[in-house]
Amino acid sequence: MQSLREDVAELMQQNRRITHGYQYTLPSPELYPFQWLWDSCFHAIILTHIDDEAAKAELRAACSQPLVSGMLPHIIYWEEPPVGATPWGRELRGDVINASWGVDGTSAITQPPIMARTLATIHKRSPDLDFVRELYPTLCRHHEYLEQSRTREPNGLVFIVNPDESGEDNSPRFDAPLGLPVEHTASENLAERIRLMQANAACNFDTRTCMTKHFAVVDIGFNVIYLESLGYMREFATLLDRSKDAIRFAARESAVRRKLSAQLSDGLEWYSYDVTNGRYITVDTWNRFLPLYGGLLSDEAADRLVHEVLCDTEQYWTPFPLPTVAKHETAYNTADDAFWRGLVWMAPNWFLYHGLRRYGYVDLAETIRQKSYALIEQSGFREQYHTVTGEGLGAHDFTWGGLVLDME
Ligand code: GLC
């Protein structure tokens, strides 16, 4: 019998593509035949357990096509998809929908900025200052773009302009901002997101005054990852003797930490903010555990969150945690096409695992690792899993299961 590491190595090899002098990994050849930004970061993290050079190549490719603004796009369309593939990402291709996006070969939106964390993981496992030096300017420009075009005040929290930028495309967090009722179909959801892309295309990238009229959400998940990223950017700046940058990143980091903490009500509830409609989003999703990952809670609040919420079988503790939406929510859904409305995804489990470890919940983290592994043993490498039966759903040969290698 092969080990998990061998199975993951085989999958990564099978999904690997080499083109235009770059090497990257498809999340799933049948459904996702392009390069995705945060997927590639997960891939690079997975690859640090298999092949350091491949990890570097993956991150290099993911950061290779910034837009003129400095923003790193969430999809790079290196090649035409193979005949017969159902390329989900294609609907979001800016230049297919409207040429006025002015982008060729990439999408026109981004995804959570986990690139600096990825670079830090690579550098920690196999120190290579030249590689840090190589990617640093691109990462700096991306962070400048976020600061300049996606915040409402200096050193502020970042808003996203499309649900897909959160990585959780149809999460019920975005129903109200999209003007959708809680009950709706997957295709109604997609139609609304495409309509939003078209409205944004007409804004010609003007995020501050135009795009915010259609959709702008200060999303918790995105901002926790942004906060962590600022910390790594500060460290890289110091490493590369760029003291002015280091001071700037440090100032931003502490302001963002302060502002994020202020969005935590009594330490337990945590709400994203719908800027366009001026209201908090109170839908209970797995995002509420991200303060653990970001180190934003007191020990006491962490304890309550873990024991009163995470381990409660009426809320999040299912036979196979972590459901992406709390069981008591009206939106909670485990149908085959529920996507981010209640099924288990491996990336949230990876964030939860590291959050639990950060606060010393070593045994519980180990349980999450074992249950994640059990899902792969039972159902293979799938996009999502049923939170009660463990049945595999969505795309086949989906790479995120490899993150279990990084739960150690
Ligand atoms: C889906 C996921 C998104 C991911 C993409 C490629 O759209 O929601 O997070 O990046 O697939 O795997």
Side-chain angles (χ1 to χ4, degrees):
M1 216 177 90
Q2 290 207 129
S3 68
L4 175 69
R5 188 178 169 283
E6 285 164 337
D7 287 343
V8 173
E10 206 172 281
L11 175 69
M12 297 302 284
Q13 184 66 42
Q14 179 191 311
N15 290 10
R16 178 171 297 166
R17 298 292 180 270
I18 298 176
T19 185
H20 298 79
Y22 289 100
Q23 176 175 310
Y24 67 103
T25 312
L26 308 178
S28 157
E30 66 173 5
L31 201 59
Y32 301 108
F34 310 117
Q35 179 170 28
W36 264 261
L37 184 58
W38 84 332
D39 297 67
S40 271
C41 292
F42 299 145
H43 297 157
I45 289 171
I46 295 165
L47 286 167
T48 59
H49 298 271
I50 296 167
D51 173 353
D52 290 330
E53 288 310 311
K56 285 183 204 167
E58 182 89 22
L59 187 59
R60 179 180 286 124
C63 297
S64 68
Q65 309 294 319
L67 305 194
V68 178
S69 63
M71 189 197 85
L72 289 169
H74 93 305
I75 303 177
I76 303 174
Y77 304 97
W78 289 111
E79 285 173 305
E80 284 302 306
V83 178
T86 35
W88 179 260
R90 182 174 278 286
E91 290 98 323
L92 300 176
R93 181 173 171 170
D95 58 351
V96 165
I97 289 169
N98 186 329
S100 69
W101 277 110
V103 189
D104 190 21
T106 73
S107 74
I109 58 172
T110 191
Q111 263 185 337
I114 195 161
M115 296 76 79
R117 151 85 198 232
T118 306
L119 180 57
T121 305
I122 293 173
H123 185 64
K124 195 168 150 207
R125 290 189 83 97
S126 107
D128 180 349
L129 203 54
D130 284 342
F131 188 57
V132 175
R133 196 172 285 116
E134 177 189 330
L135 289 193
Y136 180 79
T138 307
L139 295 187
C140 259
R141 289 190 64 220
H142 182 71
H143 283 79
E144 288 317 308
Y145 164 80
L146 292 178
E147 165 68 20
Q148 278 158 24
S149 302
R150 298 299 193 90
T151 61
R152 288 176 299 147
E153 77 255 330
N155 295 346
L157 299 180
V158 169
F159 59 82
I160 58 175
V161 295
N162 188 302
D164 291 67
E165 290 199 320
S166 73
E168 297 176 62
D169 319 356
N170 73 336
S171 168
R173 289 206 299 290
F174 308 117
D175 290 354
L178 284 173
L180 282 166
V182 180
E183 306 280 345
H184 61 266
T185 63
S187 51
E188 282 164 352
N189 192 287
L190 181 60
E192 207 44 52
R193 279 155 44 220
I194 291 178
R195 193 200 53 73
L196 177 62
M197 283 297 286
Q198 284 161 343
N200 280 338
C203 286
N204 202 21
F205 286 113
D206 174 2
T207 47
R208 278 184 191 280
T209 54
C210 189
M211 282 158 100
T212 44
K213 284 190 197 135
H214 302 289
F215 182 102
V217 169
V218 172
D219 197 51
I220 292 300
F222 197 106
N223 279 281
V224 172
I225 294 166
Y226 176 57
L227 170 66
E228 180 190 45
S229 193
L230 290 171
Y232 284 120
M233 290 307 287
R234 171 180 46 73
E235 285 178 18
F236 295 148
T238 309
L239 216 56
L240 299 174
D241 285 328
R242 292 170 185 260
S243 53
K244 276 198 193 136
D245 285 6
I247 292 167
R248 207 176 62 243
F249 282 123
R252 215 173 274 174
E253 184 189 1
S254 58
V256 167
R257 179 173 292 277
R258 222 179 22 253
K259 286 170 187 164
L260 261 181
S261 302
Q263 239 164 287
L264 262 168
S265 98
D266 80 5
L268 279 187
E269 267 140 43
W270 225 30
Y271 300 130
S272 293
Y273 184 70
D274 177 351
V275 179
T276 309
N277 298 298
R279 58 187 175 215
Y280 281 98
I281 301 168
T282 56
V283 190
D284 192 349
T285 74
W286 76 279
N287 257 225
R288 67 186 300 177
F289 302 111
L290 276 165
L292 295 168
Y293 177 82
L296 285 147
L297 296 176
S298 65
D299 287 347
E300 194 199 331
D303 211 52
R304 287 186 55 205
L305 183 66
V306 167
H307 291 115
E308 292 172 25
V309 184
L310 177 62
C311 294
D312 179 358
T313 53
E314 296 304 311
Q315 298 185 65
Y316 282 98
W317 202 258
T318 53
F320 293 101
L322 180 71
T324 35
V325 174
K327 278 172 67 186
H328 60 77
E329 278 293 342
T330 321
Y332 174 72
N333 184 350
T334 53
D336 291 4
D337 64 351
F339 224 56
W340 286 97
R341 301 177 79 83
L343 301 174
V344 181
W345 292 67
M346 285 297 178
N349 280 15
W350 177 84
F351 283 107
L352 177 63
Y353 173 89
H354 289 286
L356 289 170
R357 297 273 309 194
R358 184 167 187 160
Y359 279 85
Y361 297 98
V362 178
D363 293 345
L364 205 52
E366 176 56 16
T367 305
I368 293 295
R369 189 191 70 79
Q370 283 174 10
K371 286 189 178 261
S372 302
Y373 183 40
L375 285 171
I376 297 169
E377 276 196 311
Q378 179 188 321
S379 305
F381 293 107
R382 297 297 297 271
E383 188 178 10
Q384 314 102 17
Y385 302 88
H386 193 286
T387 183
V388 177
T389 63
E391 183 196 351
L393 298 163
H396 292 83
D397 298 322
F398 193 72
T399 47
W400 293 14
L403 285 170
V404 177
L405 288 185
D406 195 62
M407 298 185 194
E408 53 174 20

